[in-house]
Amino acid sequence: MFRVLIASLFVTFCATAIGEVIDQQRSLYRNILVEQNGDLLCLKFDEKSRKSSQSCMYKSAPKKLVFNYTKLTFASLLLIENPENVLIIGLGGGTLSNMIHELYPHASIENVEIDPAVIKVAREYFAFQENAKVTSKVQDGRIFVKRARLQKKQYDWIILDAFNGDYIPEHLLTKEFFQELKSVLTPKGIVAANTFSTSKLYEHESATYHVVFGDFINVTTDKNSNRIILAGFEDMPSARTIAERANRLAPRLQPYGVDMKLLSERLFYTKDNQDWPVDTKILTDQYSPANLLNF
């Protein structure tokens, strides 16, 4: 079961100790803080949510992933091989983009971030890489996907990592948006969505993904409330194929602190474990109530 009966939410950005603010950027959306605490450098949104970090990096080991959810995201590679076109919605410090570029230098990676101040901080403090293969665009993720659809773009790995400081923006969590996403996904592609297993929206999110993508995979660990949803794939690989891919990927991912063998054991397919009521209401553009976010 994924609904952990905990009243409080251990946010995916991870609670981190408060350190020294070394920079502050103001934007149309929020105040952005860059905070240093010993070897840890973190990007945070405003003073109110200062205990939660959007992105962090070890200055002495910038490749090593800090957050559990970023590690879980790479379970995607157990279902797809050699991604060529990657779309990341929500930049943070650019950790996911940098790591994917190092693993697959020939892949095209498009980062979409609504807040230009986030991109500025990622460049200045978190070594966010941009080049001919890696780009960033200031745009709302949903608008970008609508335009990509009109341009007939296709992606084989779409990563949803957009947060507004409290939760996933409502317009990026509806049936209509997921249908738009599906339209720009290659036949063998996958959507990896960063979300939670403790949210009161858990059942609604699950039902909404399922109605658009069919059965999907939850990736979780017992240690925290993060979950990654893997959706959009055509067929579930066999246990043997997953084990072979995990063994092959393990040495490549180990320097980043990612245990591929562990991830291969934490894939929970909803075909065998549909843990939400059949009458759960679907989130739509007309029904996406913020009052459900009372944790």
Side-chain angles (χ1 to χ4, degrees), residues 40-226:
L40 198 63
L41 195 66
C42 293
L43 183 157
K44 301 188 176 186
F45 288 166
D46 65 52
E47 290 289 340
K48 186 176 71 171
S49 58
R50 192 175 166 191
K51 290 182 180 179
S52 299
S53 298
Q54 313 302 311
S55 185
C56 286
M57 179 181 74
Y58 296 113
K59 293 192 296 178
S60 63
K63 286 188 177 183
K64 188 175 180 182
L65 299 181
V66 176
F67 294 153
N68 186 62
Y69 90 87
T70 52
K71 298 176 184 179
L72 296 180
T73 302
F74 287 92
S76 304
L77 300 178
L78 298 172
L79 279 75
I80 57 172
E81 294 190 281
N82 300 317
E84 296 180 358
N85 294 288
V86 182
L87 172 62
I88 302 175
I89 298 179
L91 179 67
T95 301
L96 285 168
S97 178
N98 283 355
M99 183 172 166
I100 294 169
H101 181 55
E102 290 180 0
L103 290 170
Y104 302 100
H106 300 297
S108 172
I109 304 171
E110 293 185 71
N111 293 277
V112 180
E113 169 58 52
I114 196 171
D115 193 339
V118 170
I119 298 177
K120 183 175 184 289
V121 166
R123 289 169 177 162
E124 293 182 3
Y125 292 95
F126 294 89
F128 170 49
Q129 301 177 49
E130 293 168 283
N131 51 46
K133 287 292 187 179
V134 182
T135 61
S136 63
K137 186 162 190 173
V138 178
Q139 196 167 80
D140 178 273
R142 185 153 182 187
I143 293 174
F144 181 92
V145 170
K146 285 179 180 291
R147 292 178 178 175
R149 181 181 184 181
L150 292 174
Q151 296 165 5
K152 301 188 183 304
K153 288 187 176 182
Q154 295 273 285
Y155 301 92
D156 42 24
W157 192 6
I158 300 175
I159 300 174
L160 301 180
D161 193 24
F163 285 84
N164 58 21
D166 295 314
Y167 206 72
I168 302 165
E170 291 181 10
H171 68 300
L172 302 182
L173 197 60
T174 69
K175 175 183 176 182
E176 292 85 351
F177 174 60
F178 293 162
Q179 288 171 331
E180 292 163 1
L181 266 189
K182 188 176 182 179
S183 72
V184 297
L185 192 67
T186 63
K188 295 185 180 297
I190 191 170
V191 173
N194 173 24
T195 182
F196 307 95
S197 58
T198 55
S199 165
K200 287 187 178 180
L201 277 173
Y202 178 92
E203 293 175 351
H204 297 275
E205 286 182 46
S206 297
T208 306
Y209 272 96
H210 190 265
V211 77
V212 174
F213 294 104
D215 286 309
F216 58 87
I217 291 173
N218 281 304
V219 191
T220 67
T221 69
D222 296 328
K223 295 181 180 180
N224 55 49
S225 64
N226 299 141

